[in-house]
């Protein structure tokens, strides 16, 4: 039993005060996980292996979630929104006491970097499985952390980190720093409360947006200003420290390729760094951790010049990082196990000299979002979900299953796909192959984009930096060219699905129900319309015995033979298209062909009825993604100019300002503040005639 290993008391010396004291090693046999989704499932998995019981908390939408199902016990924590559930520190403490938990694992996000929650745990004599509250405070306030880092000899970027947060002072400091510059929330991370002001005229709008988002995410609107380093690399170091003053680094990760200042693909180790530099990064990170008396898992993030490889401290995330699995893959460690052991009072499991490094690992974050529409987050049901097969070299870290809903109230990440290879090329090839095996329908995802990114020649050549997506936008988002053969596959899937449904519902004794799509004395021709990326394809299908003749946009007729293969409840199809054989998976939610998702277009009269029922015309502003309408800034009768702000939408904890596309007069507001709105819901309606 794991807890037997912890039954001893060790004499240690406090390195900062040089005063000896005792640390009682406390067996941990039950922990509460103050989080949800993927990270909660991840902690449960290690805890179960160690014989440690787990308690989950769940909000109303998460009652039937995987993390609530897999934990030994689960308790309701509140309503859907984070503030009414996973951010309720006092309620979580009550549940921990009620369930007799000795420790709380905060995961990442939510309360993981809350000074107040760490202090509350200490007052209630519950082990907080993270650093001391003083370390969270020092590293959580970026202005404080940079001063401490400078004193510890860790390189920093110059900027304004002062307490005077007036507009006048911030504008004056921005002038001194020069543009472009970075506006960053002094608390938190994950891209929240972060904006780039390219020129002076944008500064105040960017400042207000960063403040608002920071206040909502962290309860603090204070910001700092820094010189913006164009297209740097984002390199971070995993550190661990115990209660005895010892700290180690577990090598570095490169998280440079980002959108909206948030990571989407990470790798370890960072490519192209000399071995001497890797050790310098690790040693600087350890100095950073020791400077604040750190304990537990932490990540020290650096901005690195992609040309001369000089690096500067950016921030420290005082928690287990989302991308920790790639560090585990190259070091053969379980960092959650390390957290449990260190929280129990044990020493670090390995010394610095014992921490090896082997091979290369990638992590790709599977998000519900639309990359071709500015990576706007999405929400909705996972109607079809098929993942790669996990094994020793492939991990699928997720907290959802087919049929679950991606909620507007939480982060839109569906899963993390983690792969390992003997070298970077091998690992990258594995990542691409496994991404091709990942199939999701019911909502937009970034899987196809990730395949294109991982296959990009510049990414393959290790030329990564934070401006990668912008620099290679045209090649990452080429014009979509759909081949007739791909449309034939999608239509064949639709036809076979219709036949399966028909045969399962038909009266077998009725001769008129003997076979769908067959007619006596003539060949039936049916018409389908498929839409992909707003382009509609007109498809005619002629049924001749067991053969389909398919015509796309009045082109040539293509001969198709297709059949369903046994694959459980999945629709797996073998098709012969003009004497070329292929086998593919499909799901009818619309129709999916590989990494192309087609939508079956409704007849025009149904669309007209829908518009008539909703009472809306063409002059409207719609929600670009599902979310909560935070604030309406106009009222009926107001005259607005093009570019004026109309409403604020909160989706996945991010703030999105809806602006007027034209000069107009407001006719009506269709939604109320605080209301959940669907994607493409009409929020603001204009008068029919634009204002001159």
């Amino acid at each position: 039993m794991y807890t037997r290993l912890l039954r001893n008391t060790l004499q240690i010396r406090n390195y900062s005060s040089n005063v000896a004291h005792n640390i009682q090693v406390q067996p941990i046999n039950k922990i509460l996980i103050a989080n949800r989704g993927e990270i909660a499932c991840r902690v449960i998995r290690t805890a179960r292996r160690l014989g440690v019981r787990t308690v989950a908390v769940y909000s109303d939408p998460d009652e039937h979630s995987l993390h609530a199902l897999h934990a030994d016990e689960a308790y309701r924590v509140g309503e859907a929104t984070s503030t009414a559930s996973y951010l309720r520190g006092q309620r979580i403490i009550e549940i921990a006491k009620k369930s007799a938990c000795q420790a709380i694992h905060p995961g990442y996000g939510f309360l993981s970097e809350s000074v107040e929650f760490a202090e509350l745990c200490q007052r209630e004599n519950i082990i907080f499985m993270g650093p001391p509250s003083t370390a969270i405070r020092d590293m959580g306030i970026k202005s404080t952390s940079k001063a401490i880092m400078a004193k510890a000899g860790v390189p920093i970027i110059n900027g304004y980190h002062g307490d005077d947060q007036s507009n006048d002072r911030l504008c004056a400091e921005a002038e001194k720093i020069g543009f472009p510059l970075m506006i960053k929330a002094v608390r938190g991370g994950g891209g929240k409360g972060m904006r780039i002001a390219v020129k002076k005229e944008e500064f105040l709008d960017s400042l207000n947006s960063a403040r608002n988002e920071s206040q909502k995410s962290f309860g603090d609107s204070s910001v700092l200003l820094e010189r913006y380093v164009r297209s740097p690399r984002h390199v971070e170091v995993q550190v661990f420290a115990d209660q005895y003053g010892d700290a180690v680094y577990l090598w570095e990760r490169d998280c440079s390729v980002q959108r909206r200042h948030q990571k989407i693909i990470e790798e370890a180790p960072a490519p192209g760094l000399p071995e001497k530099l890797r050790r310098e990064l690790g040693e600087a990170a350890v100095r950073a951790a020791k400077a604040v008396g750190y304990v537990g898992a932490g990540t020290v993030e650096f901005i690195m010049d992609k040309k001369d490889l000089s690096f500067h401290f950016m921030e420290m995330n005082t928690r287990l990082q989302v991308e920790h699995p790639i560090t585990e893959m190259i070091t053969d460690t379980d960092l959650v196990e390390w957290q449990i052991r260190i929280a129990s009072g044990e020493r670090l499991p390995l010394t610095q000299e014992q921490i090896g490094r082997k091979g290369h690992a990638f992590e790709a974050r599977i998000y519900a979002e639309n990359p071709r529409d500015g990576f706007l987050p999405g929400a909705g049901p996972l109607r079809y979900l098929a993942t790669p097969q996990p094994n020793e070299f492939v991990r699928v870290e997720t907290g959802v299953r087919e049929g679950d809903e991606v909620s507007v109230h939480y982060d839109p990440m569906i899963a993390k796909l983690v792969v390992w290879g003997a070298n970077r090329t091998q690992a990258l090839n594995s990542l691409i192959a496994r991404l091709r095996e990942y199939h999701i329908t019911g909502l937009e995802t970034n899987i196809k984009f990730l395949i294109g990114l991982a296959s990009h020649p510049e990414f393959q050549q290790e030329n990564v930096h934070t401006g990668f997506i912008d620099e290679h936008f045209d090649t990452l988002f080429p014009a979509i060219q759909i081949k007739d053969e791909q449309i034939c596959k999608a239509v064949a899937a639709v036809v076979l699905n219709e036949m399966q449904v028909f045969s399962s519902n038909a009266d077998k004794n009725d001769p008129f129900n003997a076979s769908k799509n067959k007619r006596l004395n003539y060949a039936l021709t049916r018409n389908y319309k498929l839409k992909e990326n707003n382009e509609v394809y007109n498809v005619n299908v002629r049924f001749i015995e067991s053969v389909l003749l398919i015509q796309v946009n009045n082109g040539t007729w293509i001969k198709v033979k297709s059949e369903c293969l046994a694959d459980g409840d999945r629709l797996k199809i073998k098709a012969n298209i003009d004497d070329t054989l292929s086998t593919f998976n499909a799901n009818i939610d619309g129709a999916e062909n590989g990494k192309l998702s087609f939508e079956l277009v409704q007849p025009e009269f149904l669309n007209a009825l829908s518009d008539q029922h909703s009472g809306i015309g063409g002059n409207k502003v719609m929600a670009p993604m599902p979310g909560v309408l935070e604030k309406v800034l106009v009222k009926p009768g107001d005259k607005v100019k093009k570019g004026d702000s109309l409403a604020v939408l909160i989706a996945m904890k991010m703030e999105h300002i809806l602006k007027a596309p034209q000069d107009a007069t407001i006719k009506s507001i269709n939604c109320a503040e605080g209301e959940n709105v669907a994607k493409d819901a009409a929020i603001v309606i204009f008068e029919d005639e634009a204002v001159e």
Side-chain angles (χ1 to χ4, degrees):
M1 178 68 71
Y2 162 73
T3 51
R4 291 176 186 166
L5 302 176
L6 306 178
R7 299 184 186 280
N8 62 329
T9 302
L10 297 171
Q11 181 79 10
I12 68 113
R13 182 168 297 277
N14 185 311
Y15 288 88
S16 59
S17 61
N18 204 35
V19 177
H21 61 279
N22 290 327
I23 288 181
Q24 180 69 41
V25 178
Q26 303 179 51
I28 294 178
N29 52 45
K30 193 173 188 181
I31 60 176
L32 181 146
I33 305 163
N35 217 295
R36 64 180 298 278
E38 170 268 323
I39 185 58
C41 292
R42 166 72 187 89
V43 175
I44 290 168
R45 187 169 68 245
T46 289
R48 179 172 294 145
R49 177 174 63 80
L50 298 176
V52 177
R53 292 177 60 79
T54 55
V55 173
V57 293
Y58 63 86
S59 64
D60 288 343
D62 284 343
E63 181 177 359
H64 303 291
S65 63
L66 277 181
H67 78 273
L69 176 68
H70 288 172
D72 295 298
E73 302 171 33
Y75 294 82
R76 179 181 180 272
V77 72
E79 299 173 359
T81 62
S82 299
T83 52
S85 54
Y86 297 105
L87 291 175
R88 295 179 64 192
Q90 188 61 54
R91 170 63 178 153
I92 288 171
I93 291 291
E94 291 170 2
I95 294 172
K97 286 185 167 183
K98 179 180 179 180
S99 56
C101 291
Q102 297 111 315
I104 293 178
H105 194 301
Y108 51 72
F110 296 131
L111 296 170
S112 63
E113 295 180 283
S114 168
V115 174
E116 295 76 17
F117 184 68
E119 291 175 340
L120 180 59
C121 289
Q122 186 176 9
R123 288 198 301 271
E124 298 293 341
N125 200 28
I126 295 174
I127 298 170
F128 177 74
M129 295 179 62
S133 59
T134 52
I136 300 176
R137 180 182 293 108
D138 289 343
M139 284 301 194
I141 302 175
K142 292 183 174 62
S143 54
T144 303
S145 67
K146 289 180 186 297
I148 295 172
M149 293 304 99
K151 187 176 180 181
V154 180
I156 65 169
I157 293 178
N158 292 327
Y160 176 70
H161 312 138
D163 294 331
D164 186 346
Q165 292 285 306
S166 66
N167 282 1
D168 289 345
R169 180 61 184 272
L170 292 174
C171 286
E173 294 295 337
E175 290 271 15
K176 292 179 185 177
I177 297 168
F179 294 90
L181 61 76
M182 178 77 77
I183 306 168
K184 299 168 71 173
V186 298
R187 294 181 182 270
K192 306 292 194 303
M194 185 183 295
R195 297 292 185 273
I196 298 170
V198 177
K199 52 188 177 181
K200 180 180 178 181
E201 292 74 18
E202 299 176 357
F203 179 71
L204 281 178
D205 282 345
S206 299
L207 173 63
N208 289 332
S209 183
R211 280 171 165 169
N212 291 339
E213 195 168 275
S214 177
Q215 182 65 42
K216 291 182 179 68
S217 298
F218 314 118
D220 188 338
S221 62
S222 299
V223 299
L224 58 82
L225 310 178
E226 288 182 342
R227 176 175 62 89
Y228 176 58
V229 181
R230 289 184 182 272
S231 302
R233 290 179 63 174
H234 178 131
V235 178
E236 61 186 34
V237 179
Q238 177 71 61
V239 295
F240 247 94
D242 60 23
Q243 299 177 46
Y244 305 91
D246 294 322
V248 295
Y249 61 88
L250 291 91
W251 306 104
E252 79 289 340
R253 303 182 285 251
D254 192 296
C255 312
S256 296
V257 181
Q258 306 177 8
R259 87 284 183 265
R260 298 200 311 267
H261 310 299
Q262 292 181 312
K263 307 161 190 173
I264 47 175
I265 193 165
E266 302 100 341
E267 59 182 301
L273 301 188
E275 199 64 27
K276 181 174 180 291
L277 179 57
R278 296 187 197 280
R279 296 192 179 278
E280 288 176 357
L281 280 163
E283 290 163 2
V286 167
R287 289 200 303 274
K290 288 187 174 183
V292 292
Y294 202 82
V295 174
T299 297
V300 182
E301 300 189 344
F302 296 100
I303 286 289
M304 176 177 285
D305 190 295
K306 67 175 183 176
K307 292 182 179 179
D308 65 17
L309 301 183
S310 61
F311 62 91
H312 299 84
F313 173 83
M314 184 167 58
E315 64 183 9
M316 184 176 188
N317 289 311
T318 54
R319 53 175 166 78
L320 192 67
Q321 200 82 325
V322 177
E323 57 272 19
H324 76 273
I326 55 176
T327 294
E328 294 179 323
M329 296 291 263
I330 67 166
T331 58
D332 195 23
T333 56
D334 183 333
L335 299 187
V336 174
E337 178 182 350
W338 280 38
Q339 286 186 295
I340 294 173
R341 295 175 67 176
I342 287 171
S344 301
E346 283 195 59
R347 287 188 177 275
L348 285 166
L350 298 174
T351 65
Q352 190 64 66
E353 293 72 24
Q354 293 172 321
I355 297 173
R357 189 181 80 233
K358 62 174 185 177
H360 205 94
F362 281 93
E363 175 182 282
R365 303 190 189 190
I366 312 295
Y367 278 106
E369 64 182 15
N370 186 349
R372 286 185 174 266
D373 193 12
F375 295 94
L376 289 178
L382 294 163
R383 294 203 176 101
Y384 176 89
L385 175 61
T387 72
Q389 185 64 38
N391 57 43
E392 183 182 355
F393 308 119
V394 178
R395 289 166 58 171
V396 178
E397 301 283 352
T398 187
V400 295
R401 59 206 185 279
E402 186 173 283
D404 284 352
E405 185 113 359
V406 177
S407 170
V408 299
H409 298 289
Y410 313 117
D411 189 88
M413 189 171 72
I414 297 170
K416 304 181 311 196
L417 175 61
V418 184
V419 302
W420 181 91
N423 53 54
R424 188 176 190 269
T425 299
Q426 188 183 106
L428 195 51
N429 288 340
S430 176
L431 177 67
I432 295 168
R434 302 294 84 75
L435 282 168
R436 293 188 187 280
E437 296 171 2
Y438 222 120
H439 302 283
I440 298 173
T441 65
L443 39 67
E444 293 272 4
T445 75
N446 66 338
I447 294 175
K448 186 178 178 182
F449 169 77
L450 288 169
I451 294 172
L453 172 60
S455 305
H456 196 282
E458 291 299 313
F459 189 84
Q460 300 251 342
Q461 292 298 316
E462 305 180 358
N463 296 325
V464 294
H465 56 87
T466 58
F468 188 93
I469 293 176
D470 290 338
E471 180 179 348
H472 302 292
F473 188 89
D474 291 342
T475 48
L476 286 170
F477 296 100
I480 297 176
Q481 296 180 339
I482 308 298
K483 296 179 180 179
D484 287 355
E485 290 79 5
Q486 293 170 312
I487 295 175
C488 287
K489 288 182 180 180
V491 172
V494 172
V495 171
L496 286 171
N497 182 70
E498 288 178 342
M499 293 175 68
Q500 282 191 337
V501 172
F502 178 83
S503 62
S504 64
N505 294 333
D507 182 351
K508 301 299 188 297
N509 297 317
D510 187 339
F512 293 100
N513 285 338
S515 182
K516 186 176 177 64
N517 296 325
K518 288 188 177 181
R519 299 294 185 271
L520 295 175
N521 303 321
Y522 80 99
L524 172 67
T525 299
R526 295 182 60 189
N527 178 263
Y528 296 87
K529 286 183 171 60
L530 297 182
K531 185 168 73 173
E532 206 282 336
N533 197 36
N534 296 321
E535 184 167 351
V536 177
Y537 298 87
N538 187 63
V539 185
N540 292 316
V541 181
R542 186 171 294 166
F543 299 83
I544 302 177
E545 296 299 329
S546 61
V547 176
L548 303 179
L549 292 180
I550 299 178
Q551 182 189 53
V552 181
N553 291 339
N554 297 318
T556 58
W557 290 89
I558 301 172
K559 183 176 70 173
V560 178
K561 294 181 180 180
S562 58
E563 61 177 314
C564 291
L565 303 177
D567 189 25
D569 58 353
R570 309 293 188 187
L571 186 57
K572 190 171 187 177
I573 297 172
K574 180 180 180 181
N576 184 326
I577 302 174
D578 268 354
D579 298 326
T580 301
L581 290 171
S582 62
T583 302
F584 58 95
N585 294 314
N587 176 258
I588 307 303
D589 178 33
E592 184 192 357
N593 166 33
K595 287 292 169 275
L596 289 173
S597 293
F598 295 93
E599 176 187 347
L600 281 169
V601 180
Q602 289 191 108
E604 289 186 8
F605 77 91
L606 289 177
N607 288 328
L609 284 174
S610 176
D611 283 349
Q612 184 179 5
H613 177 72
S614 63
I616 58 177
N619 291 340
K620 55 185 178 287
V621 171
M622 300 185 298
M625 82 286 294
V628 177
L629 188 60
E630 174 79 3
K631 188 180 297 184
V632 177
L633 306 173
V634 292
K635 61 183 183 300
D638 285 354
K639 296 183 185 300
V640 296
K641 296 289 186 182
K642 181 179 179 180
D644 284 354
S645 297
L646 305 178
V648 178
L649 188 69
I650 301 294
M652 316 298 182
K653 300 185 283 186
M654 300 289 286
E655 179 182 274
H656 303 269
I657 299 175
L658 306 183
K659 296 182 180 291
Q662 63 196 42
D663 294 358
T665 300
I666 306 299
K667 180 179 180 181
S668 62
I669 309 297
N670 271 22
C671 305
E673 290 184 356
E675 183 178 340
N676 288 327
V677 296
K679 180 183 179 183
D680 295 332
I683 294 177
V684 178
I685 311 298
F686 300 138
E687 297 288 355
D688 289 338
E689 297 295 329
V691 177
E692 299 295 336

